[in-house]
Amino acid sequence: MRNAEVIRQWQILREIESKRTGVTIHELATLVRVTTRTIRRDLQALQEAGFAIFDEGEENETKRWRLETQPFRSVQEGLTVSDVAALYLSRALVESLTAWPLSDELRAAFAKIERGLNPRTREFLAALPEVLSAKPGPRADPTSTRLVDVTRRLLDAIRDRRVIEMRYFSAASNRAKVYSAQPYRLALAHGGLYLVAWVPQYDEFRTFAAERIERLTIGDETFRKTRELPAEIFGGSMGVFFGPPERIVLEFDARIAAYVRGRVWHDSQQLTAHDDGRVTMTLDVSNDWALRSWIMGFGAGVRVVSPSGLADTIAAEFTSALRRS
């Protein structure tokens, strides 16, 4: 599994970097729970990828592997003003995300870049927020240190493949539940951070919003990844749900047609323009809460052509809202 290799090699790289006196192959094998033969292959792969890893010592058993203290010196020296500007603009987008787990590392990296810039370049970069800014959407409390801590611990659990136990507040049932789960991946989506984990109790993958994890315990028990997740983990949904795709047909009024045509709402969408200005959209997505919420956001400007069950659900929601107003 390529994903498992990447995670393991990243862990090896960080371990070598953290040990100034170096680390042996046997120590690395013990850390990531693989054979020394696998470690040798990983070290070779990292060297071929351009990381300045080298060994010191005469015997294979005692050789200590180290990382060049400034492995990316040539990269930094080759950065142009446009390159650095692009990095800074990307930084604004990343920092707008809730519970970004590597925020401290990101700030440290940019501080190092800034120390190597001349005053005029720094002045140019300081003006970038006046040219382009990033506005985050709805998100969890960005000042929550607890959420960042939970995120970092989840990263460790995923990397080490450790079973977790968590007390989680379920929005669907409006109460807290305790889950034992195998964490597979963290995903940033819709302004939030989500854990995708296999839950043996239900024999399926489930998605958990990180901000609703009330208590997290990382156990000593490990697990093997026997299932694969797609690269686009929520690709079949308008939101952050798993579910089989369904053919959805919508019709948008002429007054909002230009807005609808101006964006790719989902990769499966197909648009058909009509002479009177209306637009018909066909989607293959999960018929879930995210889809219904998105449709209702257009108000009277959209009509559900099919399936009929979705049309009835939308109509019932609007009727209920009218009664409450």
Side-chain angles (χ1 to χ4, degrees), residues 98-162:
T98 295
W100 175 243
L102 302 176
S103 56
D104 291 342
E105 290 85 344
L106 185 66
R107 281 191 290 270
F110 274 95
K112 293 173 183 176
I113 292 176
E114 288 171 352
R115 286 198 292 268
L117 300 177
N118 63 55
R120 293 197 65 180
T121 303
R122 286 197 293 269
E123 181 181 350
F124 169 80
L125 294 173
L128 284 178
E130 300 176 8
V131 179
L132 179 65
S133 61
K135 180 183 183 300
R139 64 203 190 281
D141 181 4
T143 64
S144 173
T145 56
R146 186 195 67 82
L147 184 54
V148 174
D149 176 66
V150 166
T151 302
R152 287 179 176 273
R153 294 173 63 203
L154 286 173
L155 279 174
D156 290 339
I158 293 170
R159 180 195 63 200
D160 297 337
R161 300 181 190 175
R162 292 188 178 275

Side-chain angles (χ1 to χ4, degrees), residues 166-170 173 175-179 202 206:
M166 58 183 170
R167 179 181 171 87
Y168 179 78
F169 187 85
S170 170
S173 60
R175 65 185 179 90
K177 299 181 181 180
V178 175
Y179 294 85
Y202 299 103
R206 291 209 168 184

Side-chain angles (χ1 to χ4, degrees), residues 42-273:
D42 286 337
L43 290 170
Q44 182 180 353
L46 288 168
Q47 288 175 323
E48 292 174 353
F51 293 100
I53 299 173
F54 61 95
D55 63 309
E56 294 179 331
E58 298 181 359
E59 301 295 333
N60 286 335
E61 300 298 322
T62 59
K63 281 184 177 179
R64 302 190 73 81
W65 290 80
R66 299 177 60 189
L67 179 68
E68 166 64 42
T69 55
Q70 291 183 308
F72 304 115
R73 186 191 297 112
S74 61
V75 175
Q76 184 173 343
E77 291 174 353
L79 289 175
T80 66
V81 171
S82 296
D83 294 335
V84 176
L87 285 172
Y88 268 75
L89 294 175
S90 299
R91 175 189 183 182
L93 293 171
V94 170
E95 289 185 335
S96 70
L97 300 171
T98 295
W100 175 243
L102 302 176
S103 56
D104 291 342
E105 290 85 344
L106 185 66
R107 281 191 290 270
F110 274 95
K112 293 173 183 176
I113 292 176
E114 288 171 352
R115 286 198 292 268
L117 300 177
N118 63 55
R120 293 197 65 180
T121 303
R122 286 197 293 269
E123 181 181 350
F124 169 80
L125 294 173
L128 284 178
E130 300 176 8
V131 179
L132 179 65
S133 61
K135 180 183 183 300
R139 64 203 190 281
D141 181 4
T143 64
S144 173
T145 56
R146 186 195 67 82
L147 184 54
V148 174
D149 176 66
V150 166
T151 302
R152 287 179 176 273
R153 294 173 63 203
L154 286 173
L155 279 174
D156 290 339
I158 293 170
R159 180 195 63 200
D160 297 337
R161 300 181 190 175
R162 292 188 178 275
V163 175
I164 64 171
E165 183 177 285
M166 58 183 170
R167 179 181 171 87
Y168 179 78
F169 187 85
S170 170
S173 60
N174 197 34
R175 65 185 179 90
K177 299 181 181 180
V178 175
Y179 294 85
S180 177
Q182 300 171 1
Y184 267 63
R185 191 182 302 176
L186 286 174
L188 291 161
H190 293 257
L193 185 74
Y194 297 88
L195 168 67
V196 180
W198 180 262
V199 183
Q201 178 183 356
Y202 299 103
D203 197 34
E204 65 181 8
F205 279 111
R206 291 209 168 184
T207 305
F208 302 91
E211 70 269 16
R212 284 193 264 120
I213 297 176
E214 298 179 348
R215 185 182 68 242
L216 175 66
T217 302
I218 301 176
D220 295 328
E221 180 186 355
T222 60
F223 66 94
R224 293 183 59 189
K225 286 189 174 181
T226 58
R227 301 163 182 86
E228 287 290 336
L229 287 172
E232 294 294 332
I233 197 165
F234 301 129
S237 171
M238 298 293 283
V240 290
F241 298 96
F242 288 106
E246 187 174 342
R247 177 58 56 92
I248 309 295
V249 182
L250 308 171
E251 183 182 275
F252 295 91
D253 287 353
R255 58 191 174 89
I256 61 171
Y259 175 64
V260 172
R261 289 196 307 266
R263 295 190 179 186
V264 177
W265 302 95
H266 191 267
D267 290 340
S268 68
Q269 75 180 41
Q270 295 181 9
L271 300 177
T272 301

Side-chain angles (χ1 to χ4, degrees), residues 236-237 243-246 248 285-292 295 307 309-310 313:
S237 171
E246 187 174 342
I248 309 295
V285 295
S286 173
N287 189 346
D288 52 30
W289 177 86
L291 173 67
R292 296 190 292 274
I295 292 173
L310 175 60
T313 300

